[in-house]
Amino acid sequence: MVVMEDYDVIVIGGGSTGTSVARDCAMRGFRTILFERGDLASGATGACAGMISGGTKYVLQEPEFSEMCTREVVTLSRIAGHIVFRTPIITAILTEEEIKLRASFVEKYGALTEKRQASPILILSPQEARSLEPKLSNNIILAAYFDEMFIDPFRLTVLTALSAKQHGAEIRTYTEVVDVLHRDGEVYGVRVKDRLTGRDEEIRGRIVVNAAGAWVPEISRIVGIKQTLRLNKGAHVVFDRRITRFGIICRALDGRTVYLFPHETGSILGTTAIDIFTSPDEAEATYDEIEYLISSMEMAVPSVRDARIVRVMCGVRPLIAQWWVPEGDVTRNFRVIDHEERDGVRGLVSVEGGKLVVCRAMAEKITDLVCEKLGREAECRTHLEPLPGADGKVNVEEIASRYHFSPHTAGRLISRQGTLSSIVLSEASNERSLLSSVCLCEAVTEAELRHVIRNEWGVTLDALRRRTRMGMGPCQGFSCGFKAMAILAEERGMGVEEAFRELERFLAERWRGHIVVLRGSQLSEYEMTQAAYACVGSIDMKVGEEE
Amino acid sequence: MIETEILVIGGGVAGLLAATKATDEKLEVTVIDKGSGASYQSSGVIDVMGCPLGEATLKPIEGIAQVIECSPSHPYSVISSERNVTNVIKDAIRYLTSMASNRGVEFKGEIERNVVLLNTIGSFKLTCFYQSTMDRGVLHKLEGASLLVTGFKGLVGFNARFCSSSFKHFASKFNIELRKTSSTELSLPSLREFNLTIIELARMMDEDDFRKDLAKKLETEIAVNDVSHVALPTLGLKKPYENMRIFEEETGTSVFELVSPPPSVPAQRLMEALEEEAIERGVRIFRGYKAVGFEGEGRSIKSVTLASGEKRFPAKAKAYILATGKFIGGGIVEERDKVKETVFNLPLYDEKGEPLKRQNISRLLAKSPFPREGHPLMGCGVKVNAQMKPVVNDEVAYDNLFAAGSIISGYNYVREKSGMGVAAVTGYIAGMNAATHVEGG
Ligand SMILES: Cc1cc2nc3c(=O)[nH]c(=O)nc-3n(C[C@H](O)[C@H](O)[C@H](O)COP(=O)(O)OP(=O)(O)OC[C@H]3O[C@@H](n4cnc5c(N)ncnc54)[C@H](O)[C@@H]3O)c2cc1C
Ligand SMILES: Cc1cc2nc3c(=O)[nH]c(=O)nc-3n(C[C@H](O)[C@H](O)[C@H](O)COP(=O)(O)OP(=O)(O)OC[C@H]3O[C@@H](n4cnc5c(N)ncnc54)[C@H](O)[C@@H]3O)c2cc1C
């Protein structure tokens, strides 16, 4: 076993929280290393809607938290401008009693819109609403218009990790913390397993930050600490195209709220909230959850029933353990736990609750505590410095004409890479074939794939998908999977067998998100993928053993 | 209004074969098709039986026998109750390949043996009958070869470098040793610099100037490499054999075309040939018409309703052949938990011949995407008797209705590698029987 040198801070978990902690710690001068057992943003972060709101739901019960969210929306728009976008939203009101319910919300939330740099809330008649959004049902009796900001959660996490790296942090993906090293009430490191090579390592550090989201209790259990979270599963249904121009919010059949948001090239419908009591690894979206979402949204947008579903995604919220209240009333605020204070275990800090929108604020609070513990005074600067690619505006037309390729493809690239786009394209001036779109659904060029393999921990096809959206469109990896496999194999020096195994894993992951929602016209895409990979590619045939 | 003696719904391999076979009896046959289906997406080679019961075999006849023994609902088993199935498959495929051959698309292969071909993904494909452009690349003929895998700069979906190492790897799995594999990526000024598709490349190859340039390029490549065989992602759409000959003469090597996933040039070549030949033999083909319903009287279909845009009109025939394919073709759709046959609303059956219940479709899928046993969903379709007449509860549904191709239940072509083979033989039989039905009055 290899024993690694010492670090000041070891971060467990590469979601929005963990990467933000690594960035803050590194920026404040700590020698930092982060371990993520899968890919960056492979937990709740990658399953979330990416809405960075002023806390629509919490404005009444938790005004301070709502203020914090509002501040963070502004901060994220500043430090990650190219991955933040504004979506206009219509709340469709279907029943009289809802009008009363929503009235005080409109007033309070309205007061925050200006701070959030959003447009004011407008009340619309059903006719006005339908003229703006013809897909709305005739049954709505009133509507409200406002807007919210959204962020690409995958890019946010990757860019945060990149920034951490630029400040000296080490980021290790596909590396699982399998043990927490501790003696005499003190944590002094972790043992990790590289999931791609199977290699074990021990790493020592002065403080371990447990930012493993829903898996926080599992890490704590290793050192004998009982920590409880309210684990709450949520699912989203992803559609192949923008069903509505506006985001739509309406009441669900059980009185909760559901939404249909335009999202990248498609739409997402969410979300459910179901408490779970088994391992978060087991969480999967069920058929009933999907029906619940569709049947609810159908009341406001009837055509959602027949829209083409490409997949479903599911994540587990690591909520603070408040019980005897419905999920909707549980705080979305977070709590930083000093285990020395709470359990008498030194060298371990964890975090409970929170949201994507406040990930930077969560990290700031955690890093403040780390500073205190390690006796260092350093100011937080994470809200000041832009993330990689967010340090300026890029002109789509200019890039498209400089490299002579389509403004659409250029635009998609810039929406992910911002000012780094010209670096991504640098080799394409000489090697024009790098401008070929490997993924047609999402316009991902070979140049971009090679860039993320080399610079953004793009070690698996799944990782390429998260960084570029490759394989997220209607065909779900049918047309890009094998092309990207060859590129990945080449860049990483993978053997042929390893490459095909990787392709199988990628298609299996896509399949998992597919199986419960496969229906309607998506079945022809299914037959294509099945036949192309099995009939033509023989991916299902093992040769050598029996031949 | 269309009036014809036989109406074929669906112009894939199954429909075109059925229609042409029926015109042999001097009947008036009309094919209608709403667009295109799986046949155009296939790789243009004819599988007969590659993996009976999920295990690969190099001997299709043995595979068929195994299937007949173990899967009574398989179309081959159903046919075997009335005919010698191997012979009729042979006849059907001979019929299909001679149709293609009349239009210049040549096939090779024999029913006694499956062969292994290489594909543009970098893996292999087991099949039975293949276009002769692929002949020099049949794996067992490549023992000791020095293979140059030739890519094109800007061509999407074909990575010659990767294929050159993976071909060596897969060949060794089949105990074939390639003496050497190498790769090159040609860049020709007349080609698009990026986003070049294989179909565009194939069209370019049909042009004299381009193929001359290409032949020269290949020759210089071969001069520096010690090469016996050259693999290309395509040999062109219309003149592949001419190209093959020119390249072979110019380079002194053996040249072949790889199999590819969609879009596939050989599939397009085959389908265009079948369609032209069908028309040549008197079949009328109308594309852009969709069958949306029918009128029946007792056990007889009276007419089928066609739609073109907003227009609706009936098509009347003495016999009807349903060859609408599966999900890609559109013969089967799923709506609110019900998998349905789209034209005659025939009940559907599963691979074992049991009626399909209304159920959440995910119950017909396996947990992993490519299990060896396949997804039950792919085995669903209409049930037919040995005359290819759809049956409901073991009774013939309509006396003048026949079915052919992947609309039929009882087999899973994805798992089994039998797609075109079943389409051909069921189309052949349906065509003959529909003709007999009409002639018999
Ligand atoms: C359906 C849904 C919708 C949501 N929508 C929004 C929204 O619109 N806006 C918003 O602000 N918030 C939203 N949230 C909440 C938000 O997604 C989460 O609060 C946030 O992403 C949690 O981030 P995290 O980093 O704490 O957890 P995670 O993203 O789950 O990260 C934890 C990471 O730890 C890793 N890990 C676990 N065990 C180990 C180990 N032993 N070793 C190494 N690594 C380990 C996991 O692989 C995982 O990647 C939503 C959540 C869900 C489920
Ligand atoms: C990617 C892929 C690769 C494959 N590779 C191979 C291979 O290498 N070898 C092999 O043997 N098999 C292969 N197959 C399988 C093979 O292609 C199919 O099994 C076979 O082509 C089915 O033929 P068909 O005529 O029954 O259906 P289809 O070709 O699907 O034809 C059905 C036709 O009916 C039309 N239609 C449907 N409904 C209506 C309607 N209501 N009105 C009018 N027209 C209608 C459709 O437009 C379509 O043209 C492959 C399949 C795919 C998808």
Side-chain angles (χ1 to χ4, degrees):
Chain A
M1 164 155 357
V2 194
V3 178
M4 294 280 291
E5 55 175 317
D6 289 357
Y7 291 85
D8 294 322
V9 185
I10 296 171
V11 183
I12 308 175
S16 56
T17 314
T19 51
S20 298
V21 172
R23 175 173 185 247
D24 201 340
C25 287
M27 282 173 84
R28 294 201 221 182
F30 293 115
R31 285 158 26 103
T32 306
I33 188 164
L34 177 146
F35 295 105
E36 163 55 52
R37 63 171 193 172
D39 183 27
L40 296 172
S42 57
T45 305
C48 92
M51 173 151 108
I52 45 173
S53 76
T56 23
K57 285 207 255 175
Y58 321 109
V59 63
L60 301 178
Q61 299 116 310
E62 301 181 79
E64 293 105 81
F65 181 58
S66 202
E67 290 262 357
M68 180 201 284
C69 292
T70 301
R71 243 184 352 259
E72 288 306 309
V73 175
V74 178
T75 305
L76 286 173
S77 308
R78 191 173 62 237
I79 67 167
H82 69 296
I83 55 168
V84 172
F85 47 96
R86 183 189 299 271
T87 300
I89 292 174
I90 294 175
T91 298
I93 294 177
L94 294 155
T95 59
E96 294 286 342
E97 63 163 323
E98 257 181 279
I99 298 184
K100 286 183 225 103
L101 271 173
R102 304 250 182 207
S104 57
F105 159 75
V106 167
E107 186 192 324
K108 294 262 170 47
Y109 201 55
L112 283 173
T113 53
E114 206 174 320
K115 286 196 197 159
R116 225 171 65 241
Q117 303 170 345
S119 19
I121 301 181
L122 295 174
I123 303 298
L124 306 173
S125 70
Q127 293 75 16
E128 287 169 326
R130 267 199 306 280
S131 71
L132 286 173
E133 180 51 74
K135 297 279 172 60
L136 281 172
S137 146
N138 290 328
N139 298 330
I140 62 170
I141 58 171
L142 198 65
Y145 167 93
F146 62 113
D147 60 22
E148 289 287 8
M149 303 302 252
F150 285 74
I151 197 162
D152 176 341
F154 299 118
R155 292 305 303 167
L156 173 65
T157 310
V158 171
L159 295 181
T160 305
L162 268 181
S163 167
K165 184 180 166 194
Q166 285 167 1
H167 286 94
E170 274 177 59
I171 307 290
R172 301 270 298 272
T173 61
Y174 293 95
T175 310
E176 179 165 11
V177 171
V178 289
D179 199 5
V180 178
L181 308 174
H182 61 109
R183 88 170 85 74
D184 308 331
E186 171 151 16
V187 168
Y188 64 91
V190 292
R191 193 155 62 79
V192 299
K193 189 179 206 72
D194 185 319
R195 288 174 66 177
L196 300 180
T197 63
R199 218 169 56 136
D200 264 1
E201 265 178 80
E202 257 180 28
I203 292 93
R204 283 146 208 266
R206 298 165 70 194
I207 284 215
V208 172
V209 177
N210 178 1
W215 295 268
V216 158
E218 294 185 10
I219 300 288
S220 293
R221 196 176 310 127
I222 300 175
V223 286
I225 294 173
K226 182 168 162 46
Q227 192 169 7
T228 313
L229 293 177
R230 182 160 172 177
L231 298 183
N232 188 266
K233 171 178 87 160
H236 281 117
V237 179
V238 185
F239 296 92
D240 72 328
R241 68 196 66 192
R242 295 198 162 197
I243 298 170
T244 50
R245 289 199 296 137
F246 290 78
I248 307 294
I249 292 182
C250 72
R251 265 184 115 194
L253 294 176
D254 60 354
R256 290 175 64 253
T257 297
V258 289
Y259 51 73
L260 177 70
F261 293 142
H263 185 75
E264 307 280 345
T265 47
S267 304
I268 60 172
L269 168 61
T271 171
T272 53
I274 298 168
D275 291 322
I276 61 162
F277 301 91
T278 45
S279 162
D281 293 332
E282 310 281 309
E284 267 179 12
T286 62
Y287 192 80
D288 283 335
E289 278 178 271
I290 293 148
E291 273 307 310
Y292 160 82
L293 289 170
I294 294 176
S295 307
S296 296
M297 185 49 70
E298 197 175 19
M299 301 291 171
V301 181
S303 59
V304 77
R305 167 66 63 187
D306 295 313
R308 181 162 175 171
I309 301 176
V310 292
R311 67 185 276 102
V312 55
M313 47 186 197
C314 177
V316 179
R317 303 175 184 91
L319 302 182
I320 288 177
Q322 292 177 334
W323 303 106
W324 292 286
V325 288
E327 160 277 335
D329 292 346
V330 177
T331 178
R332 286 321 197 247
N333 209 335
F334 62 91
R335 197 151 68 187
V336 177
I337 311 285
D338 175 352
H339 289 286
E340 180 173 358
E341 199 176 89
R342 206 190 80 168
D343 309 287
V345 175
R346 272 168 295 144
L348 183 66
V349 168
S350 71
V351 56
E352 301 179 344
K355 288 192 68 110
L356 180 81
V357 57
V358 292
C359 61
R360 196 211 57 83
M362 291 164 79
E364 179 172 350
K365 199 98 176 262
I366 294 165
T367 312
D368 285 347
L369 179 63
V370 169
C371 281
E372 193 187 306
K373 300 241 155 224
L374 298 184
R376 176 176 301 181
E377 275 189 30
E379 287 284 304
C380 175
R381 290 185 298 113
T382 53
H383 56 301
L384 302 174
E385 203 175 290
L387 293 177
D391 54 347
K393 286 247 176 300
V394 191
N395 185 323
V396 176
E397 297 298 330
E398 203 265 322
I399 292 276
S401 68
R402 176 149 31 117
Y403 293 93
H404 307 286
F405 73 133
S406 90
H408 169 70
T409 311
R412 300 298 297 159
L413 172 65
I414 291 164
S415 74
R416 295 185 280 261
Q417 293 285 349
T419 54
L420 296 179
S421 299
S422 39
I423 294 178
V424 175
L425 294 171
S426 57
E427 285 177 33
S429 319
N430 296 323
E431 186 55 74
R432 306 268 304 148
S433 65
L434 287 171
L435 292 172
S436 281
S437 291
V438 175
C439 167
L440 296 169
C441 304
E442 299 282 347
V444 184
T445 61
E446 181 170 338
E448 187 179 355
L449 287 182
R450 292 197 188 264
H451 176 86
V452 306
I453 295 169
R454 292 174 196 170
N455 302 291
E456 296 185 352
W457 306 275
V459 296
T460 61
L461 291 174
D462 217 24
L464 302 190
R465 166 178 72 80
R466 291 202 179 81
R467 281 148 190 75
T468 64
R469 299 189 53 77
M470 167 199 104
M472 291 207 191
C475 88
Q476 290 289 295
F478 146 64
S479 82
C480 60
F482 68 93
K483 302 174 197 164
M485 166 192 69
I487 293 169
L488 184 68
E490 197 166 54
E491 287 283 337
R492 295 189 40 85
M494 289 160 108
V496 173
E497 242 161 74
E498 195 187 346
F500 277 94
R501 227 179 297 128
E502 178 54 30
L503 178 61
E504 273 182 67
R505 266 200 297 267
F506 174 69
L507 294 170
E509 188 281 335
R510 297 281 79 190
W511 179 243
R512 270 196 297 282
H514 217 117
I515 182 164
V516 277
V517 287
L518 191 62
R519 53 174 83 181
S521 47
Q522 190 65 19
L523 282 172
S524 88
E525 213 67 71
Y526 154 83
E527 188 182 348
M528 282 287 265
T529 309
Q530 282 285 311
Y533 283 101
C535 263
V536 187
S538 308
I539 198 168
D540 60 336
M541 281 170 64
K542 301 281 173 275
V543 289
E545 305 108 81
E546 69 263 341
E547 294 296 326
Chain B
M1 164 99 166
I2 292 179
E3 276 211 57
T4 183
E5 285 177 299
I6 296 179
L7 181 75
V8 181
I9 308 162
V13 166
L16 290 175
L17 210 65
T20 313
K21 185 68 193 150
T23 52
D24 285 354
E25 307 302 319
K26 308 276 174 290
L27 293 175
E28 193 190 17
V29 183
T30 305
V31 176
I32 60 124
D33 197 302
K34 64 176 173 52
S36 74
S39 303
Y40 274 88
Q41 305 294 344
S42 77
S43 51
V45 299
I46 305 166
D47 304 349
V48 173
M49 181 54 69
C51 295
L53 318 170
E55 296 293 330
T57 180
L58 290 173
K59 300 187 175 119
I61 295 180
E62 281 178 20
I64 293 166
Q66 247 175 300
V67 161
I68 290 175
E69 194 179 318
C70 302
S71 321
S73 333
H74 194 288
Y76 288 161
S77 313
V78 174
I79 292 168
S80 74
S81 69
E82 284 196 357
R83 297 164 194 268
N84 176 319
V85 71
T86 310
N87 287 346
V88 66
I89 295 172
K90 258 195 215 165
D91 292 347
I93 288 172
R94 198 176 310 123
Y95 193 84
L96 188 159
T97 52
S98 75
M99 278 178 74
S101 168
N102 287 351
R103 297 281 128 193
V105 176
E106 302 292 343
F107 274 85
K108 294 223 170 199
E110 51 205 21
I111 197 156
E112 284 74 23
R113 191 173 58 165
N114 278 329
V115 296
V116 178
L117 301 173
L118 299 168
N119 64 39
T120 55
I121 296 176
S123 61
F124 61 91
K125 158 142 189 72
L126 194 64
T127 193
C128 195
F129 295 88
Y130 50 93
Q131 300 191 14
S132 52
T133 49
M134 303 162 179
D135 188 42
R136 313 253 204 249
V138 168
L139 196 56
H140 70 257
K141 299 185 186 174
L142 288 179
E143 179 67 44
S146 168
L147 176 64
L148 177 69
V149 185
T150 308
F152 292 83
K153 271 236 177 324
L155 176 64
V156 189
F158 180 55
N159 188 319
R161 287 180 300 271
F162 179 78
C163 287
S164 113
S165 52
S166 68
F167 289 165
K168 196 171 174 75
H169 167 86
F170 284 115
S172 76
K173 289 270 169 194
F174 286 98
N175 296 319
I176 300 293
E177 203 201 337
L178 301 179
R179 180 161 51 87
K180 190 179 146 199
T181 59
S182 51
S183 69
T184 180
E185 224 174 42
L186 303 180
S187 104
L188 285 112
S190 45
L191 290 180
R192 202 193 269 275
E193 291 179 297
F194 57 92
N195 283 343
L196 173 70
T197 68
I198 198 159
I199 302 286
E200 282 175 298
L201 177 64
R203 293 228 168 86
M204 294 291 288
M205 283 197 187
D206 292 344
E207 286 171 25
D208 281 341
D209 290 347
F210 182 82
R211 59 183 180 179
K212 270 190 210 127
D213 288 353
L214 178 53
K216 281 213 194 70
K217 277 264 179 198
L218 277 175
E219 197 198 347
T220 24
E221 284 297 326
I222 270 97
V224 293
N225 285 297
D226 140 47
V227 171
S228 64
H229 287 72
V230 174
L232 286 158
T234 175
L235 277 168
L237 191 58
K238 296 277 182 213
K239 306 174 187 163
Y241 311 103
E242 240 174 278
N243 288 341
M244 196 167 108
R245 212 193 49 241
I246 293 172
F247 299 155
E248 291 196 335
E249 276 167 13
E250 202 83 12
T251 61
T253 61
S254 299
V255 172
F256 65 93
E257 180 175 49
L258 295 165
V259 175
S260 92
S264 154
V265 177
Q268 195 163 326
R269 213 185 273 147
L270 169 64
M271 292 311 293
E272 284 176 10
L274 292 182
E275 187 161 334
E276 282 168 20
E277 182 64 11
I279 293 169
E280 177 70 26
R281 298 202 198 172
V283 176
R284 288 199 297 175
I285 301 183
F286 296 116
R287 293 219 176 250
Y289 293 95
K290 180 174 182 178
V292 292
F294 73 107
E295 252 179 75
E297 205 182 276
R299 292 207 343 183
S300 173
I301 305 279
K302 290 290 161 210
S303 71
V304 163
T305 312
L306 302 186
S308 162
E310 295 294 297
K311 279 196 300 241
R312 300 267 134 124
F313 54 93
K316 278 195 182 1
K318 293 178 184 150
Y320 300 83
I321 298 175
L322 180 68
T324 46
K326 251 195 178 64
F327 305 111
I328 297 176
I332 303 180
V333 297
E334 191 271 357
E335 253 170 42
R336 314 210 173 177
D337 289 349
K338 192 154 165 50
V339 194
K340 296 201 302 199
E341 187 280 307
T342 49
V343 182
F344 300 104
N345 203 12
L346 293 167
L348 296 186
Y349 290 81
D350 67 14
E351 197 170 344
K352 299 204 173 69
E354 297 297 322
L356 207 59
K357 294 193 294 275
R358 183 187 190 110
Q359 61 188 328
N360 170 345
I361 196 167
S362 64
R363 290 179 211 269
L364 297 169
L365 301 167
K367 281 274 177 206
S368 73
F370 302 104
R372 270 210 224 182
E373 64 284 4
H375 297 291
L377 182 63
M378 284 306 295
C380 298
V382 302
K383 193 170 179 175
V384 291
N385 65 14
Q387 287 95 50
M388 296 299 123
K389 287 188 179 174
V391 295
V392 181
N393 303 327
D394 297 326
E395 295 269 320
V396 167
Y398 300 99
D399 291 324
N400 61 345
L401 178 63
F402 301 82
S406 58
I407 183 80
I408 294 178
S409 67
Y411 75 111
N412 178 338
Y413 79 80
V414 166
R415 176 198 59 179
E416 197 170 86
K417 330 297 177 210
S418 62
M420 290 255 193
V422 174
V425 72
T426 54
Y428 186 79
I429 296 176
M432 278 192 302
N433 289 343
T436 311
H437 174 89
V438 172
E439 286 169 334

